Amino acid sequence: MRPGGRAAQAAEPAVRLRSAALAFGARTLWSGLDLDIRPGEFFAVLGPNGSGKTSFLKALLGVVPLSEGTAEVAGRAPGRAGEEIGYIPQQKSFAPDTPLRARDLVALGVDGHRWGVRLHRRAVDARVEDLLARVGASDYAKVPVGQLSGGEQQRLRVAQAIAGHPKVLLCDEPLLSLDLGHQQAVSGLIDRQRREEGSAVVFVTHEINPILDYVDRVLYLADGRFRVGTPEEVMTTSVLSELYGSPVEVSQVHGRIVVVGLPDATTHAHRGAHHHEEDTP
């Protein structure tokens, strides 16, 4: 078991789903899902476009209601956990003329939920400085966000998401469009949060390889079916072939998982694809 796993097993689940189902019209994305995600666990959600990965996060955020069953996040109903939830969205660049400095973006995660004049400026400034240092962004703290690279911007989003010491960190394709170096850096920052503060990480991704060293378990969604287990249990030829209903070949090459033979209608980064489509129908 990877770091954070053993200590987490005795604690109450950070995320709990019972008989959960999500459907859009006549199409069921997944159903009958019973799941406990433990504090300190790094939990990856995988699958092709349209399989319901982002919808899974939206259900935990309370944005999309479950069609059946129940969910709890940090001991509360979805949408009611407040600061105990951190959220890292997909990487989308800011406009070049955005009038917001890097430190201002991080500060929104510290007290952006409060109205009125900032009463404890020194404490907020100290927390912002600490967060910037934690994600390696101190050198560009005063640079407008629109002038930063995608990887630098995503570091700031990590800092913003962990500002409230969340019990659950929800990550929606946070590595999308990043180069390999920034993928490794951002993944490492997220893993550090769960190891040092015990946050449960729910990490939606098309590509498991950048986070393979960190992942405890995987939820793989495909064609209305799912499988939950360790990467070694789920990312196999037999399991993926069963999920897709057609032959799929899985092999390991130099420590990386390579998946071939997926249906042509699916987009899946295990084969090297890098483009992205909206996940929900």
Side-chain angles (χ1 to χ4, degrees), residues 119-168:
L119 299 178
H120 306 287
R121 179 174 292 276
R122 289 185 179 179
V124 171
D125 287 347
R127 178 61 176 155
V128 169
E129 294 297 335
D130 176 66
L131 288 164
L132 288 167
R134 186 177 180 86
V135 301
S138 298
D139 289 345
Y140 47 88
K142 297 181 180 180
V143 177
V145 292
Q147 298 179 19
L148 300 174
S149 70
E152 290 169 337
Q153 291 178 10
Q154 204 66 335
R155 283 175 180 259
L156 298 176
R157 291 188 178 96
V158 173
Q160 187 183 62
I162 67 176
H165 304 283
K167 291 183 178 179
V168 180

Side-chain angles (χ1 to χ4, degrees), residues 4 13 15 22 26 28 38 52 60 91 120 152 173 180 221-222 224 229 243 263 268 271-272:
V15 174
L22 188 61
T28 298
R38 301 178 294 269
L60 298 185
Q91 204 300 106
H120 306 287
E152 290 169 337
E173 296 274 16
L180 180 59
L221 303 168
L243 287 175
H268 203 294
R271 294 187 298 176

Side-chain angles (χ1 to χ4, degrees), residues 36-253:
D36 288 344
I37 301 176
R38 301 178 294 269
E41 183 174 15
F42 199 120
F43 189 88
V45 183
L46 299 165
N49 288 330
S51 60
K53 301 186 304 300
T54 291
S55 297
F56 179 81
L57 279 195
K58 289 180 177 179
L60 298 185
L61 287 167
V63 175
V64 174
L66 291 174
S67 304
E68 297 178 9
T70 62
E72 291 183 2
V73 185
R76 301 180 185 179
R80 298 184 180 180
E83 293 183 4
E84 294 184 335
I85 301 296
Y87 176 61
I88 304 174
Q90 294 179 14
Q91 204 300 106
K92 295 181 180 179
S93 296
F94 290 95
D97 58 349
T98 301
L100 190 71
R101 299 175 303 170
R103 63 173 297 108
D104 300 327
L105 181 64
V106 175
L108 291 174
V110 178
D111 69 348
H113 60 289
R114 297 187 176 92
W115 290 92
V117 178
R118 183 173 289 167
L119 299 178
H120 306 287
R121 179 174 292 276
R122 289 185 179 179
V124 171
D125 287 347
R127 178 61 176 155
V128 169
E129 294 297 335
D130 176 66
L131 288 164
L132 288 167
R134 186 177 180 86
V135 301
S138 298
D139 289 345
Y140 47 88
K142 297 181 180 180
V143 177
V145 292
Q147 298 179 19
L148 300 174
S149 70
E152 290 169 337
Q153 291 178 10
Q154 204 66 335
R155 283 175 180 259
L156 298 176
R157 291 188 178 96
V158 173
Q160 187 183 62
I162 67 176
H165 304 283
K167 291 183 178 179
V168 180
L169 188 58
L170 304 178
C171 310
D172 187 8
E173 296 274 16
L175 309 183
L176 195 67
S177 301
L178 301 184
D179 61 32
L180 180 59
H182 279 118
Q183 285 184 355
Q184 293 173 338
V186 171
S187 300
L189 292 172
I190 293 170
D191 180 64
R192 179 182 174 187
Q193 172 68 18
R194 67 91 175 226
R195 285 187 291 106
E196 295 186 356
E197 298 205 20
S199 301
V201 171
V202 182
F203 196 107
V204 167
T205 182
H206 275 65
E207 170 63 273
I208 193 174
N209 284 310
I211 58 171
L212 189 57
D213 290 340
Y214 308 134
V215 173
D216 292 304
R217 286 189 300 157
V218 167
L219 166 64
Y220 203 110
L221 303 168
D223 291 338
R225 296 182 286 271
F226 65 84
R227 184 67 64 89
V228 179
T230 65
E232 294 79 10
E233 293 169 338
V234 174
M235 303 302 295
T236 69
T237 295
S238 61
V239 169
L240 294 192
S241 296
E242 179 183 345
L243 287 175
Y244 283 102
S246 62
V248 174
E249 188 71 27
V250 180
S251 59
Q252 291 217 9
V253 180

